[in-house]
Structure formats: C-alpha cells, structure tokens
Amino acid sequence: MYYEDIEYQHPDYENNVDRWEFYLRSYMGGQDYRDGSYLTSYLNEDKNAYSRRLALTPLDNHCRNVVHVYSSFLWRVPPTRNYQQMEGSADLIAFLKDANLDGQSFNSFMREAQIWSSVYGHVWLMLDKPQSTAGTRAEELAQEIRPYVTLITPENVYDWKYERMPSGRHELTYMKVRESVNRIDGTTTETYFRIWTRETIQLVRYHGDEAQVVETIDNPIGKIPAVHLPSNRSVVRGIGISDISDIAYMQQAIYQELSEIEQLIRISNHPTLVKTYDTDASAGAGAVINISDDMDGALKPYQMQPSGANLDAIRASIEDKIESINRMAHMGAVRGTEAITQSGVAMQTEFQMLNSKLSEKADILELAEEQLWQLWCTWQGHDLHEVEISYPDSFDIRDYESELNFLQKTRASGVKSVTLLREIDKQIADLVLDDQVLAQAHEEIETATTAVGDFTKETQIYKYHIDSGLVTPNEVREKIGLDEIAGGDVLVEPVQTVTDGQ
C-alpha cells in the first residue's frame, strides 16, 4: 500500500527552508556557523589557510543575546492560569510537572518554545495522547497515559493546509510531519512521516525512493492537535517572522570584519620576509641572514610589514553595526555597555517601543496556550474548555537609578504638600519593593503621612472624639500605627462652653 501524495509539500516550505537553516546557524554559532558558507575566502587562498582562518575567527553572537534578552523579560513574571473545575486533578498536576514526558515542566517548555520561535520565526506545538485500552481515567493514570506536548521545528513540517470553516474560522485540516530519519547504510536512509487529517492519522515510511503506509488509525478527536506559535505574524498562514531575520545578516557582516581584524593583527605582528631562493634566512628576533658572495648587490632581503592603521576603522565599523543591531531590536538602552548619551525622551521612546514589542509577543504566547488547553480538554473529555491564561501585559523597563535620584531631589525641594510627599514615598517603594510587601508599605505610608499632619476629615474626626472624651489618645494612636504615650489612656475632660449670663 502506497501513499500517492507523499511527494507533495507546501510551496512556502521550499522558499523558507534555507532561511530557517541560516537563522539556526546564526543563533547556535560555534562550529555550526563556521562551515565555510558565511566567510568569504581570499583570492588564491588555499583550503588549509581558509580552514585555519575559520578556526581562528571569533564569533560575537548578537543573535543569541537578543533572543535571550527578549525571553528574560517575557518570563520575568510567570503567567497565571485559572483551571477552574480541573484545579488539583491528578492528570493536570502530572502534565504541569512533566509536559513533554521528558521531565520538563509546562512553564519551562513554553519558554523553550518561545525561544525557538524567535530563532526560526515560528514553531509547531503538537499535543498528542498515546493510544490506550484503559477503560477508566484511573487506569490511564496508572499506565501514565495522558496528553503530552511536543515541540516541532519548521524544517520538519513539510506540508500543512488551513481551510475556512462555515463559521469563518480557519482550521488546520492537513499536516505532514517528519518524525525520524534512520540511516540504513552509507547510501540508504529510512524516513518516517506522520500524516494528520481530521479523519485519520497515518504513519508513512520512506525506504529509499519508495513510500509505504505502515499504519493508519482513526483520529479520535476529529481535529489536528497542533498549534502554530509564531514569533511575529506574517501574511502567510503557518509562517512566522524571526526576531533575528535582519540581525543575522548584520552579525554575518561583523563576523567577516572580525576575521579581517584577526588577519591584520597577525600579519602586522609577523612581517613577511622577502629573499632570493638561495639566501639562507628566517624571520624572527635574532635571525641571521647568510647571503652568497656572488649575489647581485641590488638583491637584498627585506621585510614587508603592513600598517595596522586600518584596525581602528574596522573596529569603528563593527561598533556601527552593533548600534544598528540594538536599534533593530529596540535594545539600545538595554544592551548598551557604555554610558548612555541619549536624552530622557529618546530613552523613554525606546523603552516604549521595546515594551510594545514584548507585549505583542506575550499576547501571541497567550493565544497559543489557550489553543493548547482547548486541545488538552478535548483529549481528556472535559466539558469545560475555558482555562484562563494571563501573561503580563506590560513590561516596565525603567532606569531605576535615574528615577530614584529624581524622586529624592523632588522630595528635598521643600514643597509644602503632604500629598506630594506621600505619593513620592509610594513611588520610591514601587522601585525597591516586591509586590508581596508593596501593599503593606503603601498602607504604612498612608498612615504615617496622616499622623504627621495631613489634616483630612479622618484626622478631624479623631480629634473631635478625643476632645469630646469619647476615646483616649492611645486608642487613636494604636489605630493609626503609633506607639502609646504615658498618660494616653485617660479620657480628656470635655471642654465646657460658657456663654454670657450663665
């Protein structure tokens, strides 16, 4: 039995596979990056010299740094989830603790998926469940039969198809995934594909040029349990835009110039000796040159030493490219290692652009996770499909030192306003305290400010009650958070108002 359409693949797959490989190599760096396709060879440079130059050229990996800076901001505060009626169930707890059956928690898995989507532009999340003959949920748990999620990188998804449903929503109706490639011998490989439709799931084996269906089973949930997670959306459904799509090419240019720097330093420090073939000489400190007596006097050995003046120009070019990378990633104030010369307005604008980008990425992660939980509920037969997920909406990227200095100067300005002092103290607390104790600090600031002279209606009422002999001063002091005073437990005698003629 053969699968007739196995050769078909999505046209956008062919158009993007080389680009995905380039993004991956740019992110991974190391030997994967130095395979000879990213560094231009010199004229008449032999293979050995070229390989040596590749091995000696360092890689300043900006792609990896940018991706992980995004990830650090996105996952600084983990998302919150409300599982409603499923809260505390054994299958849910097992899934959150080990989401991919490889010991990785669900939060860790989602963070890894976000990182690889930033590299490739998108990834696919497949939520599958093993077949089982168990009759009850307890038997499934005993056999460790439960849904698990798998990360599939785009070069392994050969084909996919979306169709518009009568409701207007697009639904994934066809997907072809490469599961494994096994080498039989030096010239033959055996490749396995999984073909998903809404009706069936097929396992197809390629042995050489021959394709054969190994297994066909019914799709138990009537839909393809795959979620597309893009890093940035594109106009093509099923294709995302990588966070390093432009940065990778700039990093490649930096890699070329780092090779030039290495060669310039090496040649400048080790000049080339020019001599006749018969002259006995070698370059180096204390070298002796032996010249034959019958040599032409005009033929004298000499050294060629290139000038290193171009070194600063190359370094300046690299700095310009790094600045361009920071500008493309909106990270000029985040990745900068030198003193920031931008104005406050420019820094604030850049922070807002980065915050907007991070918020958009958080919304994409939230949507993908909602779709995953819908599939999880479908696999487990839960009627309730509304798992509430909330990723942070704002990523407050602030210059804490500058803000703190500004608040301290404002507080010391001498403005006679208790309200101003109270709000400044609250903002200082926001900068230095965690959310767990922040509410308590705000309450203490409110109380202390009221006690030192904020004559609001509340303090006027306290004073009236004390003067009327209804409460003691210590009772009021305890209420506003102050220590007791000696004699404060005695009620004040009410003041008698004496009028004329009485």
Side-chain angles (χ1 to χ4, degrees), residues 114 150 182 352 406 413 461:
Q114 176 267 315
T150 304
N182 304 322
Q352 289 175 350
F406 171 75
S413 62
I461 293 173

Side-chain angles (χ1 to χ4, degrees), residues 115-377:
I115 289 175
W116 287 114
S117 69
S118 293
V119 175
Y120 284 102
H122 74 273
V123 293
W124 296 85
L125 309 179
M126 180 72 72
L127 190 73
D128 200 1
K129 183 179 180 180
Q131 290 182 288
S132 173
T133 57
T136 64
R137 184 64 52 81
E139 291 178 358
E140 283 189 348
L141 290 175
Q143 300 174 14
E144 295 187 351
I145 302 297
R146 59 174 177 81
Y148 65 94
V149 64
T150 304
L151 175 67
I152 304 176
T153 52
E155 72 267 27
N156 292 310
V157 180
Y158 275 55
D159 193 18
W160 64 94
K161 182 180 180 182
Y162 283 90
E163 291 184 7
R164 186 181 290 275
M165 298 294 102
S167 63
R169 185 186 300 272
H170 283 87
E171 183 176 332
L172 185 64
T173 59
Y174 178 81
M175 191 173 183
K176 181 174 70 176
V177 180
R178 181 175 62 182
E179 288 196 345
S180 64
V181 179
N182 304 322
R183 180 163 295 280
I184 307 300
D185 52 40
T187 59
T188 307
T189 59
E190 188 176 67
T191 307
Y192 286 87
F193 286 86
R194 185 78 63 175
I195 311 296
W196 291 82
T197 66
R198 287 182 293 181
E199 295 79 19
T200 62
I201 306 172
Q202 290 185 326
L203 180 63
V204 182
R205 179 179 60 198
Y206 259 125
H207 185 76
D209 296 331
E210 183 180 273
Q212 184 178 11
V213 175
V214 177
E215 178 186 41
T216 300
I217 61 175
D218 293 334
N219 190 337
I221 61 174
K223 61 175 66 176
I224 300 176
V227 175
H228 179 246
L229 175 60
S231 178
N232 301 279
R233 298 185 184 278
S234 72
V235 296
V236 180
R237 193 173 299 275
I239 295 290
I241 301 175
S242 172
D243 287 330
I244 59 175
S245 56
D246 299 322
I247 297 172
Y249 291 98
M250 193 65 71
Q251 177 173 295
Q252 181 182 5
I254 294 176
Y255 184 60
Q256 297 273 3
E257 294 182 358
L258 287 174
S259 177
E260 294 295 326
I261 287 179
E262 190 275 334
Q263 290 293 295
L264 185 59
I265 293 175
R266 182 175 298 276
I267 295 175
S268 298
N269 291 337
H270 301 280
T272 301
L273 176 64
V274 181
K275 65 181 185 65
T276 61
Y277 184 79
D278 295 331
T279 302
D280 183 11
S282 62
V288 178
I289 301 177
N290 297 317
I291 303 176
S292 60
D293 295 334
D294 57 349
M295 176 177 288
D296 186 352
L299 299 177
K300 296 181 179 180
Y302 62 91
Q303 288 183 331
M304 292 194 308
Q305 185 170 7
S307 171
N310 293 332
L311 183 61
D312 289 337
I314 299 176
R315 292 179 63 250
S317 176
I318 292 177
E319 292 298 326
D320 290 341
K321 289 179 173 60
I322 294 176
E323 184 179 349
S324 297
I325 290 175
N326 293 337
R327 186 169 56 251
M328 289 186 286
H330 309 304
M331 289 187 183
V334 176
R335 293 193 344 130
T337 57
E338 298 179 357
I340 301 298
T341 58
Q342 292 176 306
S343 66
V345 175
M347 288 182 61
Q348 184 178 9
T349 301
E350 190 166 32
F351 282 150
Q352 289 175 350
M353 294 173 67
L354 179 56
N355 184 45
S356 177
K357 183 178 182 65
L358 292 172
S359 299
E360 181 181 355
K361 295 176 75 65
D363 290 339
I364 292 175
L365 282 169
E366 186 175 308
L367 177 60
E369 191 171 325
E370 288 175 355
Q371 296 172 351
L372 276 178
W373 284 112
Q374 289 178 1
L375 292 171
W376 194 90
C377 291

